[in-house]
Amino acid sequence: MSLNFPEFPDDSALGTNFKYRRFIQLALHGEMELGNTDISYPYTIDVLKEGYSIVQEGGSTSNACGTITLVKGPHNIIVDTGLPQDKSLILQGLARHELTADDVHYVVCTHGHSDHVGNLNLFPNATFIVGHDISKGDEYQLHDFKQGIPYEIDAYVEVIPTPGHTRGDVSVVVYRTCYGTVVIAGDTFEKFEDLEDSDIWQNNSELPEDQEQSRIEVFKLADYIIPGHGPMFKVPDEFKHEVKIVRTPTE
Amino acid sequence: MSLNFPEFPDDSALGTNFKYRRFIQLALHGEMELGNTDISYPYTIDVLKEGYSIVQEGGSTSNACGTITLVKGPHNIIVDTGLPQDKSLILQGLARHELTADDVHYVVCTHGHSDHVGNLNLFPNATFIVGHDISKGDEYQLHDFKQGIPYEIDAYVEVIPTPGHTRGDVSVVVYRTCYGTVVIAGDTFEKFEDLEDSDIWQNNSELPEDQEQSRIEVFKLADYIIPGHGPMFKVPDEFKHEVKIVRTPTE
């Protein structure tokens, strides 16, 4: 199954270059024939491990692990690989979907911290996107995330730069899921609570101003966010309004 | 075997807080009794894989892998874990030293890029130091690398912050090897050639000014440098002189 989105020369006015939006725009404007197109949900999302972070009394230690997510569909994608000790958990999670590590096409790590990159070597056939670096075997493909350019895995999944937590952070955007658009955001969002208590994310941010902007970009895109250290949450309406976004209805 | 270095109240004049220098100073000045102290080389260093980086014609792809180093001694330490595909190479390298992955006490990754963090899950008993993050299992220990404070593994091995290539880069300093002081520097130094051609390291630097300063700090310390993408090299005398260092003889 594939959707070939025609180029839409005048889409600069949409304020985004994301293809799903083009698709919806085109469809709504009757400029695209949907007759032979499969419009079911091409991807399902399963959080294999819900991340957490707990600062211990006294503040000198904390317990933490990053969220591990499977995006299953035309490409099988693991987003973040947890702590080194999470190997079995990942393999068991894949097995629940009748997949093995060999079936994983992409591994995306939102950034290079040790609770997100613990298990890269499980996936012999994968292309790796770890922060801004894209590799397969020892071959690295240059891609200009620094200029804000998304990397398209296919028409439904993009990796976008979301600098701030580290300079090289990326997030994964999955369009047309049963939740609408889901952004797997790594530590750009620590957890739902950081929407109200900004210390939670700012205390771990290399570049807080950049991260603030990245968070706004994610709010614009996302119906749901999977954060790095907490459960998936729906973006509250007031956060959509606060960033003054006029969205095109997606269904 | 352990050496307990006495505090040396007036060492601010030395311009460094590294214990090995104190030790040598004390020994040279006859203020320390060496009679019962083992002054052989406590650590040996074996580069299990020599890193490389080759930009392909046209510049849109490159082939690269980070150097993987074993520091063997009172603690067994792996510095950088290469690409995901390097699992067997690491295990074979350990076997040559009659070690298994279970025997590795510390894994230090100089930074979180995918050619350095590919095999974290091989080491069930290790403490991990990945950039600024120190963890065992899911417990993270806070350490203020940001303020320039080294993390001492023992009297002979320290992890020091060397920001620049990324903000969170660290290097491993091994004192009293048969090469003198060896600094395993990750991509703070790409390869020997970057001493003359600064584009080599600056093109991959998040913070070039910080990296320049980190390079100077490493020049001050090191007799030999193991860079991230090339063979070990001796620090040329002129680089010692350029940074105007008056060193205490180490042997």
Side-chain angles (χ1 to χ4, degrees), chain A residues 146-220:
Chain A
K146 283 182 194 165
Q147 299 301 316
I149 299 168
Y151 179 89
E152 294 175 11
I153 288 179
D154 58 31
Y156 312 105
V157 185
E158 288 185 316
V159 183
I160 63 170
T162 47
H165 177 67
T166 71
R167 188 176 293 245
D169 264 53
V170 296
S171 295
V172 177
V173 188
V174 190
Y175 301 95
R176 281 185 65 189
T177 78
C178 65
Y179 300 102
T181 297
V182 176
V183 178
I184 307 163
D187 294 359
T188 300
F189 291 82
E190 284 270 319
K191 54 187 75 171
F192 177 73
E193 291 77 3
D194 81 11
L195 273 58
E196 297 296 341
D197 180 358
S198 59
D199 281 352
I200 295 173
W201 66 266
Q202 288 187 357
N203 287 347
N204 296 307
S205 182
E206 280 187 4
L207 302 164
E209 288 183 16
D210 291 32
Q211 189 165 345
E212 179 73 48
Q213 190 57 44
S214 293
R215 288 165 62 93
I216 290 170
E217 295 301 322
V218 172
F219 282 142
K220 287 181 190 171

Side-chain angles (χ1 to χ4, degrees), chain A:
Chain A
M1 177 189 61
S2 72
L3 287 174
N4 291 312
F5 298 104
E7 285 305 309
F8 191 46
D10 192 29
D11 68 352
S12 56
L14 300 180
T16 171
N17 62 357
F18 293 104
K19 285 195 171 178
Y20 181 51
R21 295 214 172 174
R22 284 192 205 131
F23 169 87
I24 294 298
Q25 288 281 345
L26 290 162
L28 287 171
H29 289 83
E31 294 175 43
M32 187 171 169
E33 182 57 61
L34 290 177
N36 296 322
T37 303
D38 179 359
I39 56 166
S40 65
Y41 306 123
Y43 279 96
T44 57
I45 291 177
D46 185 12
V47 174
L48 302 185
K49 182 174 184 178
E50 199 169 86
Y52 56 87
S53 60
I54 306 154
V55 178
Q56 298 302 328
E57 221 173 287
S60 66
T61 63
S62 62
N63 294 77
C65 178
T67 298
I68 306 171
T69 306
L70 170 64
V71 181
K72 183 186 176 190
H75 297 98
N76 298 314
I77 304 158
I78 291 283
V79 186
D80 286 330
T81 65
L83 292 165
Q85 68 197 34
D86 289 326
K87 174 179 172 179
S88 298
L89 180 148
I90 294 171
L91 297 176
Q92 289 163 12
L94 289 167
R96 287 199 303 274
H97 291 270
E98 299 182 348
L99 296 173
T100 72
D102 291 356
D103 300 319
V104 173
H105 303 99
Y106 286 88
V107 174
V108 182
C109 292
T110 56
H111 60 295
H113 286 169
S114 55
D115 52 338
H116 297 257
V117 295
N119 290 282
L120 300 188
N121 62 5
L122 293 185
F123 310 100
N125 303 318
T127 294
F128 292 89
I129 304 174
V130 178
H132 286 187
D133 291 329
I134 304 171
S135 63
K136 187 161 187 174
D138 77 342
E139 184 168 303
Y140 280 74
Q141 174 188 342
L142 301 187
H143 180 86
D144 217 344
F145 283 116
K146 283 182 194 165
Q147 299 301 316
I149 299 168
Y151 179 89
E152 294 175 11
I153 288 179
D154 58 31
Y156 312 105
V157 185
E158 288 185 316
V159 183
I160 63 170
T162 47
H165 177 67
T166 71
R167 188 176 293 245
D169 264 53
V170 296
S171 295
V172 177
V173 188
V174 190
Y175 301 95
R176 281 185 65 189
T177 78
C178 65
Y179 300 102
T181 297
V182 176
V183 178
I184 307 163
D187 294 359
T188 300
F189 291 82
E190 284 270 319
K191 54 187 75 171
F192 177 73
E193 291 77 3
D194 81 11
L195 273 58
E196 297 296 341
D197 180 358
S198 59
D199 281 352
I200 295 173
W201 66 266
Q202 288 187 357
N203 287 347
N204 296 307
S205 182
E206 280 187 4
L207 302 164
E209 288 183 16
D210 291 32
Q211 189 165 345
E212 179 73 48
Q213 190 57 44
S214 293
R215 288 165 62 93
I216 290 170
E217 295 301 322
V218 172
F219 282 142
K220 287 181 190 171
L221 285 169
D223 297 301
Y224 280 80
I225 291 172
I226 297 178
H229 296 275
M232 183 165 92
F233 61 86
K234 188 176 190 309
V235 177
D237 285 344
E238 59 269 33
F239 280 83
K240 292 283 182 200
H241 297 151
E242 275 181 21
V243 294
K244 297 183 173 51
I245 302 165
V246 181
R247 299 187 78 228
T248 308
T250 54
E251 297 297 333

